[in-house]
Amino acid sequence: MKIKRREMVNLMALTFILTFTLSTAAFKYGYAGDFDGWRVMPIRSEEEFNQGKIGGEAEQHPQGIARCYSHPDIIYLSHDVGQAWKSVDAGDSWRKTLGINLSLICGQSIEVDPVDPDIVFFIVAHSYNWLATEYQGLYRSKDGGDTWEFIKPMNLEVKRMYQHSIAYDPVSIMGNQALTWYVATPEDGLFRSDDGGDTWSQSLGLIKEPKMNVSTEGSYDSRWPPALMFNGIYTDTSVLAPLLNFKIIYDFEETKNLERIELYQGDWADQYDYAQNLLIEFDDGSSMTVTLEKLPWEKQTINLNGKQVQNMSITITSIYESPNPDVNWGGFAEIDVIDDTGEDITIWDEGITTIYDIECHPTDGKTVYGATDKGLYYSNEKGENIRPYGNLPSGAVSSIEINPQDPNVIY
């Protein structure tokens, strides 16, 4: 009986609690009481099992799981701090793969070839091991995970969540393996291989290229990304905390008649660290200085009176000092630029910052879908010209599943 490639994947990823210890011993599961539907399947060591423990002591997060279509008893799991694990008996027992040539430990997405269960693709991140950043990226094993080859360096931002950003095209199966593979990361974009992973294309799409009329110069505290400041998402926690001489640069691409700037100072943790004096410079060579009131979380208005502007910058030249003399932050919660139509023309889009899932059309050999924090994307040109898809409401799409009998049905 054939089992769909990811039938087990979604069930385990969404409903089972999987926990793992970092030894190479075999792991077994068990449960108490009568089975009457769903049950938790903790992975425990033999010692934990004999002691009646539920499992989870000293373990950490699984990040991805993949089951071989033609050999459904063989399942691979990516572990947050334990590289790759493998089961050859449909999940009854598990062992850590040897991991030869894996220089890093932080597993992310993982996928197994649909025909040859020994071929595995695995994304591994450096996490906080800054001395080994050049080793993070895509690895491939041809012996079931025991030895690995580093086949594509990647820039990775570690996000501790289940991800499925490696996928094969079922139409590309030739002989004993799939030839067309896709891999995606937010920092680099989407890539395709048509030779089983030996060579990879240049980025095809989903790349993190901000589309904006706002940029910045100088340092700010990255805990509060600028996107919160320029997109009209004001909350009492959305604070951008720039250093002195931090500059915000606007390029409207065409001349605009600007009526006013509306802003909110941000006072994070009541530290009184927010902007006081601003220098506003315009592309016609004129400028103005503004002293803000000491009014965190209250809207303040700077009138521009219909000034014709294509480029403009705002520089923080002084701040209200906190009781802590070592602090020199100057926080904002939001800055809006309003034109003579009353529209907020500030745009800041950081692009796609998270890719949760990549899926291939099961029969046409051309279409690939991406679930991202910006919504559902697709390409019907094997990854080229990828673009938003469908009429979903705005927001993140975290998972996709395609009906293999009717590919027009997508969940």
Side-chain angles (χ1 to χ4, degrees), residues 190-217:
L190 178 70
F191 299 86
R192 186 185 75 239
S193 173
D194 292 316
D195 54 14
D198 290 338
T199 60
W200 293 85
S201 67
Q202 298 295 316
S203 182
L204 302 170
L206 289 178
I207 198 165
K208 187 178 179 181
E209 286 183 345
K211 298 178 180 179
M212 55 189 158
N213 62 15
V214 183
S215 59
T216 62
E217 290 181 1

Side-chain angles (χ1 to χ4, degrees), residues 129-141:
N129 183 2
W130 306 113
L131 298 178
T133 56
E134 68 270 26
Y135 297 109
Q136 66 177 354
L138 183 65
Y139 289 77
R140 178 178 61 186
S141 174

Side-chain angles (χ1 to χ4, degrees), residues 320-334:
Y320 289 104
E321 293 292 343
S322 95
N324 180 354
D326 296 327
V327 174
N328 59 350
W329 298 105
F332 288 109
E334 184 178 331

Side-chain angles (χ1 to χ4, degrees), residues 10 23 39 84 95 140 193 201 233 254 337 357 361 366:
N10 286 333
S23 70
R39 67 184 187 272
R95 70 171 179 86
R140 178 178 61 186
S193 173
S201 67
I233 324 172
E254 59 183 16
V337 179
D357 195 353
H361 191 286
K366 298 184 297 182

Side-chain angles (χ1 to χ4, degrees), residues 64-249:
I65 193 167
R67 189 175 197 177
C68 182
Y69 183 90
S70 299
H71 300 271
D73 283 348
I74 298 179
I75 307 172
Y76 291 89
L77 186 137
S78 167
H79 190 281
D80 182 37
V81 293
Q83 297 182 342
W85 292 73
K86 181 179 182 180
S87 173
V88 296
D89 52 15
D92 282 356
S93 64
W94 294 83
R95 70 171 179 86
K96 185 183 180 303
T97 62
L98 290 180
I100 297 171
N101 297 330
L102 280 181
S103 303
L104 302 168
I105 64 171
C106 300
Q108 293 192 288
S109 295
I110 194 166
E111 185 57 278
V112 56
D113 188 272
V115 180
D116 186 344
D118 285 336
I119 298 176
V120 189
F121 290 86
F122 189 27
I123 294 177
V124 187
H126 72 80
S127 188
Y128 302 108
N129 183 2
W130 306 113
L131 298 178
T133 56
E134 68 270 26
Y135 297 109
Q136 66 177 354
L138 183 65
Y139 289 77
R140 178 178 61 186
S141 174
K142 294 183 177 181
D143 60 3
D146 286 337
T147 58
W148 297 85
E149 55 181 325
F150 188 28
I151 60 174
K152 183 165 183 53
M154 289 180 170
N155 296 310
L156 298 174
E157 294 220 4
V158 175
K159 297 182 182 293
R160 286 179 160 168
M161 62 185 72
Y162 175 80
Q163 295 183 72
H164 189 78
S165 55
I166 309 171
Y168 61 83
D169 187 341
V171 179
S172 74
I173 295 174
M174 300 287 289
N176 63 347
Q177 69 176 111
L179 294 180
T180 298
W181 289 79
Y182 294 90
V183 61
T185 71
E187 296 296 308
D188 294 326
L190 178 70
F191 299 86
R192 186 185 75 239
S193 173
D194 292 316
D195 54 14
D198 290 338
T199 60
W200 293 85
S201 67
Q202 298 295 316
S203 182
L204 302 170
L206 289 178
I207 198 165
K208 187 178 179 181
E209 286 183 345
K211 298 178 180 179
M212 55 189 158
N213 62 15
V214 183
S215 59
T216 62
E217 290 181 1
S219 299
Y220 62 88
D221 190 327
S222 61
R223 290 176 295 177
W224 301 284
L228 291 176
M229 201 174 68
F230 303 124
N231 277 345
I233 324 172
Y234 166 71
T235 71
D236 61 3
T237 58
S238 59
V239 180
L240 177 75
L243 289 167
L244 284 177
N245 300 314
F246 179 79
K247 180 180 288 189
I248 303 163
I249 303 164

